[in-house]
């Protein structure tokens, strides 16, 4: 048999095709199903049991072993605790970014090494390139599915041991490969949202872990227009679920969350998608993580401040220790503290930092 590769199999079509392609390439492939959440893991919202069944059915067709491993304790300690800390501070974290760095490419990688693997693989749409001993993270070839944004905190040691078999493929090609191979999950719907939350209402989920601390909903002019249930339950740019309608002497434009004021426990809202307070030309970000060295102050790149966003040209105005300053050529909509700003040079992902 060839080199042993352990593939993270979620029960979805992407990871199943990643395992299939590696098996066809002659590798000794072992599938690993990770259970990362146990609290209220019910059939109503969470599909962990069905996902394991789907992963096992796909592994059977591919003719590889599948092992199940429970990382729920590690997830709760390394990811979920930070997730709650950020929300309590009024920010909106991205747990998928932290999960990749702490669980999928750390706990999973360590476990795979114990199984005798030399490398791991996942179904992410991204690519790794090695140049003169330095590993680079590149965007996936399918612009609609590229997931390099979520992988930007991976380091050299992690990238040197990971394969992304789908990096050069489009989603339509992956589905076709799965169907032709008669994989039972070839037409399974893609999962959405945060893995441990499933399809349950997000506010309902947060309410189990965070106390409600009601306060005033204010306009920038100081007019009170409602009462919020707690700053943690809202995010910048949010339109639905704010709980206020139109007011006298105002247009019928919808309300958007523009700012949070923890000092007064106030939520600042504005009317209209294009209100000036919803746009920021510059930002400061902390806890930076760079794949192959920090970008220099004065350098120009492109950046994303959220996953579903077109690249925006930017200038690095400050680059010190784990802090970075970024100025955009055009103001960006709903820049959100707690989310990641991720920098690129063309197809190469440089890394990023947490917006403060």
């Amino acid at each position: 048999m060839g080199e042993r590769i352990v593939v993270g199999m979620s029960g979805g079509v992407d990871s199943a095709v990643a395992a299939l392609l590696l098996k066809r390439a002659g590798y000794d492939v072992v599938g690993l199903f990770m259970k990362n959440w146990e609290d209220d893991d019910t059939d109503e919202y969470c599909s962990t049991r069905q996902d394991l069944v789907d992963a096992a059915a796909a592994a059977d067709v591919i003719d590889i072993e599948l092992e199940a491993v429970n990382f729920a304790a590690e997830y709760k300690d390394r990811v979920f605790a930070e997730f709650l800390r950020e929300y309590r501070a009024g920010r909106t974290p991205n747990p998928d970014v932290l999960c990749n760095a702490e669980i999928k490419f750390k706990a999973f990688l360590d476990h795979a090494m114990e199984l005798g693997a030399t490398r791991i693989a996942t179904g992410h749409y991204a690519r790794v390139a090695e140049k003169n001993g330095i590993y680079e993270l590149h965007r996936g070839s399918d612009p609609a599915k590229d997931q390099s944004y979520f992988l930007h905190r991976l380091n050299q040691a992690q990238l040197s041991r990971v394969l992304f078999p789908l990096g050069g493929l489009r989603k339509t090609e992956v589905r076709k490969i799965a169907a032709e191979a008669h994989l039972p999950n070839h037409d399974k719907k893609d999962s959405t949202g945060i893995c441990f939350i499933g399809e349950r209402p997000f506010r309902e989920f947060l309410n189990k872990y965070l106390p409600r601390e009601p306060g005033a909903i204010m306009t920038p002019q100081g007019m009170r227009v409602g009462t919020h249930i707690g700053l943690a339950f809202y995010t910048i740019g949010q339109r639905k679920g704010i709980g206020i309608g139109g007011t006298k002497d105002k247009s019928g434009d919808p309300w958007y969350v523009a700012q949070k004021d923890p000092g007064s426990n106030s939520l600042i809202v504005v009317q209209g998608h294009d209100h000036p307070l919803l746009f920021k030309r510059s930002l400061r970000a902390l806890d930076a993580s760079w794949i192959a060295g920090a970008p220099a102050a004065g350098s120009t790149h492109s950046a994303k401040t959220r996953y579903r966003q077109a690249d925006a040209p930017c200038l690095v105005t400050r680059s010190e220790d784990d802090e970075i300053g970024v100025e955009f050529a055009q103001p960006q909509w709903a820049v959100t503290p707690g989310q990641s700003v991720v920098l690129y040079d063309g197809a190469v992902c440089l890394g990023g930092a947490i917006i403060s």
Side-chain angles (χ1 to χ4, degrees), residues 227-240:
T227 301
H228 66 76
I229 62 172
L231 296 182
F233 297 88
Y234 304 84
T235 188
I236 305 302
Q238 180 177 330
R239 172 183 172 182
K240 296 181 179 179

Side-chain angles (χ1 to χ4, degrees), residues 113-129:
M113 297 302 109
E114 293 174 4
L115 296 177
T118 53
R119 288 185 286 179
I120 62 171
T122 70
H124 284 97
Y125 288 82
R127 294 172 293 158
V128 176

Side-chain angles (χ1 to χ4, degrees), residues 55 91 93 105 109 120 138 200 222 258 264 266 303:
R91 294 183 286 270
F105 297 89
L109 178 59
I120 62 171
H138 288 214
R200 64 169 60 77
S264 63
S266 298

Side-chain angles (χ1 to χ4, degrees), residues 263-274:
S264 63
N265 191 29
S266 298
L267 191 71
I268 312 302
V269 296
V270 296
Q271 281 188 287
H273 180 278
D274 296 328

Side-chain angles (χ1 to χ4, degrees), residues 278-294:
L278 287 169
F279 289 85
K280 294 283 188 293
R281 184 179 288 274
S282 62
L283 62 82
R284 175 174 172 256
L286 306 173
D287 192 21
S289 178
W290 305 110
I291 292 169

